Amino acid sequence: MNILMLGRGKTGSVVAEVARERRHHVGVAGSAENADAAALSAKNLHDVDAVIDFTAPHCILANITACAQAGKNMVVGTTGWYGDLDRVRKLIAQQETGFLYAANFSVGVNLFLDVARAAAAALRHDYSGQIFERHHAGKKDAPSGTAMAMQRIVREASGSREDLEITSFREGEVVGLHELVLESPTDRIYLCHDAKSRRGFAEGAVRAAEWLAGKKGFFDFNDVWREL
Ligand SMILES: NC(=O)c1ccc[n+]([C@@H]2O[C@H](COP(=O)([O-])OP(=O)(O)OC[C@H]3O[C@@H](n4cnc5c(N)ncnc54)[C@H](OP(=O)(O)O)[C@@H]3O)[C@@H](O)[C@H]2O)c1
């Protein structure tokens, strides 16, 4: 495929590397080339099969809008915009493009969320729960999209009306560490996922773009990763 990679930061650069390893042609646009979505005109995107976005919350909606208006499929790893999910879902339906997003493109994290879903049963017994997440000091949003996804999954699976508290830490070079701690008067359950590198996110995002080829509609990676 011809892939346009938006963002050449810590994660986008690894996504471009993995896409090239998987024999895709990859163009890259960072903030200089893509101010006000300048790189995303229909003309510029003419030969592009899919756009993958690992940029920042301030520009993601402009990027999504431009890609949809140009009729291009898009995979979004950027977090911090989920208050606009409904608006984006409507836009994708109107423009009849393909769109796939994830707070976390790592297959390991998605397995971990399944484990958290099963463990949420503890809250129907004598347990209370807490979520902790740690990321590098440069991460712009908090809590992480993954921690919020875990919070929602645990609430829905436990039938509870209250959300677990999320505590966020920003320090050093931590790639991404998420913990669910369930505590009763007699014991404590720790569940932890610790990303060793950004490669897991990158492989998931590129395989998601391959999966999305030729499809239309609005997809959450959580619903499709088992098919990859
Ligand atoms: N879903 C997942 O699996 C996953 C995994 C990791 C990270 N993320 C998310 O992905 C995003 C990026 O993370 P990161 O760690 O790679 O951040 P980063 O190192 O800060 O990189 C962000 C990149 O975005 C570029 N950028 C900013 N505005 C742009 C624009 N208008 N057009 C094109 N590029 C633009 C920056 O370019 P300049 O340097 O040129 O300004 C930079 O290369 C964050 O939202 C993060 O939470 C998601």
Side-chain angles (χ1 to χ4, degrees), residues 74-194:
M74 191 176 196
V75 169
V76 171
T78 304
T79 55
W81 58 276
Y82 301 143
D84 290 299
L85 266 174
D86 283 342
R87 193 145 70 91
V88 170
R89 198 191 310 267
K90 280 186 199 130
L91 175 72
I92 299 305
Q94 271 164 13
Q95 298 299 130
E96 299 185 351
T97 57
F99 183 94
L100 198 162
Y101 80 102
N104 199 309
F105 274 106
S106 145
V107 165
V109 160
N110 283 278
L111 279 165
F112 177 65
L113 292 177
D114 278 358
V115 175
R117 187 177 285 112
L123 298 177
R124 291 198 293 272
H125 298 275
D126 207 6
Y127 288 80
S128 59
Q130 271 184 291
I131 294 169
F132 298 94
E133 58 102 348
R134 289 175 195 270
H135 284 85
H136 55 91
K139 184 167 171 62
K140 295 190 178 70
D141 53 317
S144 70
T146 303
M148 288 194 285
M150 184 151 67
Q151 186 185 52
R152 178 182 51 77
I153 283 167
V154 170
R155 176 173 30 80
E156 289 172 1
S158 67
S160 166
R161 263 183 273 157
E162 282 180 27
D163 277 327
L164 298 188
E165 184 187 357
I166 302 175
T167 307
S168 301
F169 300 90
R170 295 288 173 266
E171 59 191 10
E173 298 298 316
V174 184
V175 175
L177 189 146
H178 292 89
E179 292 172 294
L180 172 62
V181 181
L182 298 159
E183 176 131 12
S184 80
T186 52
D187 61 5
R188 189 177 292 132
I189 303 169
Y190 285 108
L191 299 175
C192 175
H193 180 275
D194 189 4

Side-chain angles (χ1 to χ4, degrees), residues 8-11 30-31 34 54-55 59 77 79 102-105 139 201:
R8 53 163 64 90
K10 290 179 286 298
T11 315
S31 60
N34 191 43
F54 278 82
T55 60
C59 61
T79 55
N104 199 309
F105 274 106
K139 184 167 171 62
F201 310 133

